[in-house]
Amino acid sequence: MNVLFVSAEVAPFAKTGGLGDVGAALPRALRAAGHDVRIVLPCYRRIFEGNYRLKLLIPPITLAIGQSRISFETLEVTLPDSDVPVYLIRCPRLYDRPNIYTGDADEHLRFALLNWAALRIAQQLGFAPDIVHANDWQTGLLPLMLKTVFAWDRLFENTRSVLTIHNIGHQGTFAASAISEVGLGMTAASFHQEHLAEGRMSFMLTGLLYANAITTVSPTYAREIQTVEHGVGLDGFLRQRRDVLFGILNGIDDAEWNPTKDRHLPARYSADDLTGKAANKAALLQQLRLPNRPGVPLIGMVTRLAWQKGLDLCFEALPALFRQRDVQLVVLGSGEAKYEAFFAELAHRLPHRVAFINRFSEPLAHLIEAGSDMFLMPSRYEPCGLNQMYSLAYGTPPIVHRTGGLADTVRQWDPRSGEGNGFVFDHFDAVGLKWALGAAVDTYRSSRAWSRIVQNGMRAELGWSHRVREYEDLYRALAPS
Ligand code: ADP
């Protein structure tokens, strides 16, 4: 099938979180299954800094979008470890900025261009997609555009749209005036009228209303977002569309996250031979300037420092853990000031036990997954979560809150049956987190139990090759008969 895959993030070109990983891995897996996938991505400033081989594919096209005239050229680059073409929308006026996402006054226009340009590029190339696969709010206008402003073009006659929700907490809500500013004034009647009456519009909701199918990134999250508690105001619309809403778990990209061939690691290892894992721990501790003390577990965290990630529980649970048990902690992350201040203070107070690295580093993320003994991810909500899957694959049992994709991938260790691959607390409170941390650290002392947990995680099937079939089945089911 022909798939036009549109995303605001595609690793390694542009990534702030899991969307970037999936934006690369899913197209790569679809390509491996024989489909003609083309990716469309904005050409952010950081892509020019990245030393990629970019070539001009389409000379400037000028679009009249609302009152603006916006020109863009299309560059082409190949997705690493594949032959999937990535079409980069070069528009310095909108994308030559330090960050992928901004709070700037034209944010709606920045991503509206992504929607317009994706379909214009398909036209220019004569590429007739069977599926336009949109991802998150930044691409939420595509389903409506296909049904309205691009409906005249027979190229899209058989095109169906899929919108994947990677995180419903971000909806792209703007003042209602944005509708005409993004060039969709003539379709204003198609936008949600109650929202309009309240003076706002939402990219995500527009996508949910018009996509032929909606997916999200785990079965549990697919159920959760239909509830008031997790739907962030969109639960009612999702319940109305539940017959076309599917939860498909993300996979992990075997080319990037595999301890047997990870290029970021000083020592590679496998479930059959874990000796390299100890060497990675030694290298990690040395890099962090923490003492290497045999028998003392090292807890790893790699995360955006955001409310969603459940870090508020750490304020109480981590100091208590350090008082009660001998452990070390490494945290890699950046984000909200109050979390940065908390981890900085903890590292300052416990310099031999805690290291806080306040930045984004892909190589260090890999080394932490490999070199830590256990991985902490107490998310308040988690659509899928990739880090807990990476830690399973790297023999680093995860400690998680039972929510979303964490609930679908991590099973509580049961010493009687020998089943389970991590530690899971049910109630989102410090008591729950303290229990799970204590249980993990205590279990670590029994090397037999621990090695069983590690093996249970490392031997699980976490790759994309299985998941991709669910997307293929969905695409096929949508095709006109
Ligand atoms: P989310 O998409 O909500 O951030 P996920 O667990 O789905 O959460 O994906 C997070 C991705 O971002 C992982 O690949 C993780 O390694 C990466 N990541 C997050 N913070 C950092 C950081 N500070 N440095 C390097 N990688 C990071």
Side-chain angles (χ1 to χ4, degrees):
M1 297 180 93
N2 290 350
V3 182
L4 188 68
F5 190 94
V6 191
S7 175
E9 295 186 30
V10 177
F13 309 110
K15 164 174 165 179
T16 69
L19 175 62
D21 290 325
V22 178
L26 175 54
R28 207 179 270 135
L30 287 164
R31 179 73 196 112
H35 303 287
D36 186 352
V37 192
R38 322 273 179 104
I39 300 176
V40 186
L41 173 75
C43 200
Y44 307 106
R45 179 189 295 173
R46 61 182 66 188
I47 297 178
F48 290 107
E49 293 162 355
N51 222 352
Y52 301 110
R53 289 171 64 116
L54 313 178
K55 67 168 201 261
L56 179 67
L57 181 71
I58 307 173
I61 297 174
T62 301
L63 300 176
I65 301 183
Q67 298 297 314
S68 318
R69 287 178 65 77
I70 299 180
S71 297
F72 71 94
E73 19 175 70
T74 309
L75 308 180
E76 184 179 353
V77 66
T78 305
L79 188 68
D81 301 313
S82 78
D83 59 358
V84 175
V86 182
Y87 302 141
L88 299 167
I89 306 163
R90 177 160 193 264
C91 176
R93 169 180 158 191
L94 294 179
Y95 300 137
D96 185 16
R97 300 188 194 177
N99 292 314
I100 293 176
Y101 306 115
T102 74
D104 298 346
D106 58 357
E107 191 76 345
H108 56 299
L109 205 53
R110 294 180 72 233
F111 290 107
L113 177 65
L114 173 60
N115 293 249
W116 281 105
L119 298 180
R120 282 292 281 123
I121 291 168
Q123 287 178 319
Q124 203 72 23
L125 299 176
F127 180 71
D130 297 296
I131 297 291
V132 168
H133 195 139
N135 294 278
D136 269 353
W137 75 260
Q138 295 85 2
T139 55
L141 302 178
L142 283 165
L144 176 64
M145 285 179 167
L146 284 166
K147 289 190 165 142
T148 55
V149 285
F150 284 88
W152 61 270
D153 191 341
R154 300 211 33 203
L155 189 74
F156 300 117
E157 197 173 44
N158 294 321
T159 303
R160 298 291 179 269
S161 60
V162 173
L163 173 64
T164 297
I165 303 169
H166 297 263
N167 190 335
I168 203 147
H170 305 282
Q171 300 180 358
T173 303
F174 300 96
S177 55
I179 293 176
S180 53
E181 288 164 19
V182 302
L184 292 175
M186 64 294 224
T187 69
S190 307
F191 282 77
H192 192 256
Q193 295 302 303
E194 260 173 53
H195 268 196
L196 283 191
E198 291 159 13
R200 62 199 166 103
M201 63 82 82
S202 149
F203 277 52
M204 181 73 104
L205 175 56
T206 307
L208 297 182
L209 294 175
Y210 294 100
N212 294 107
I214 302 164
T215 72
T216 189
V217 289
S218 70
T220 296
Y221 195 59
R223 288 191 296 277
E224 287 174 344
I225 56 178
Q226 297 180 54
T227 66
V228 176
E229 188 189 352
H230 290 285
V232 198
L234 299 183
D235 45 288
F237 302 104
L238 289 163
R239 285 195 300 276
Q240 277 169 23
R241 301 217 66 201
R242 88 182 90 186
D243 52 328
V244 293
L245 168 61
F246 307 94
I248 303 178
L249 200 62
N250 285 334
I252 66 179
D253 192 338
D254 193 57
E256 285 296 315
W257 292 93
N258 181 339
T260 65
K261 54 183 188 199
D262 189 325
R263 65 201 140 92
H264 298 294
L265 303 184
R268 311 212 164 94
Y269 59 98
S270 68
D272 295 325
D273 180 3
L274 281 154
T275 37
K277 189 162 169 64
N280 288 309
K281 181 175 179 182
L284 174 61
L285 289 170
Q286 190 179 28
Q287 186 174 329
L288 301 171
R289 297 204 178 83
L290 291 178
N292 191 343
R293 298 177 42 230
V296 177
L298 173 65
I299 304 173
M301 291 179 87
V302 178
T303 183
R304 291 183 292 115
L305 296 176
W307 179 84
Q308 176 203 335
K309 298 297 175 181
L311 304 158
D312 299 80
L313 300 187
C314 294
F315 294 165
E316 185 183 327
L318 287 181
L321 177 72
F322 284 108
R323 280 194 299 275
Q324 289 159 4
R325 288 180 174 82
D326 198 3
V327 295
Q328 292 176 310
L329 172 72
V330 49
V331 182
L332 170 65
S334 57
E336 285 178 40
K338 66 174 173 179
Y339 304 124
E340 293 189 351
F342 168 73
F343 287 113
E345 198 273 332
L346 201 62
H348 180 72
R349 198 155 53 77
L350 302 168
H352 300 298
R353 302 175 74 187
V354 179
F356 174 45
I357 299 86
N358 187 199
R359 60 188 159 84
F360 193 95
S361 164
E362 193 74 37
L364 189 54
H366 286 249
L367 186 57
I368 290 174
E369 290 288 4
S372 303
D373 296 298
M374 46 191 81
F375 193 88
L376 177 58
M377 200 162 164
S379 306
R380 201 179 279 271
Y381 74 93
E382 194 60 74
C384 176
L386 293 169
N387 275 310
Q388 85 282 9
M389 291 199 268
Y390 301 153
S391 69
L392 289 169
Y394 280 64
T396 309
I399 302 162
V400 304
H401 172 218
R402 195 186 302 283
T403 184
L406 300 177
D408 292 334
T409 51
V410 185
R411 278 166 297 111
Q412 172 61 38
W413 163 246
D414 178 353
R416 277 159 310 188
S417 66
E419 282 174 28
N421 54 16
F423 296 84
V424 187
F425 61 99
D426 285 292
H427 299 290
F428 186 77
D429 55 30
V431 176
L433 176 55
K434 280 194 259 187
W435 169 81
L437 282 165
V441 172
D442 292 345
T443 307
Y444 180 78
R445 290 204 208 104
S446 156
S447 52
R448 250 186 82 202
W450 197 257
S451 98
R452 183 72 186 257
I453 303 171
V454 166
Q455 292 294 329
N456 288 348
M458 291 185 89
R459 292 183 191 279
E461 228 352 296
L462 301 165
W464 268 104
S465 50
H466 294 258
R467 325 285 192 228
V468 80
R469 276 187 222 127
E470 297 183 51
Y471 281 102
E472 291 184 281
D473 290 347
L474 173 63
Y475 290 173
R476 287 207 191 91
L478 291 175
S481 45

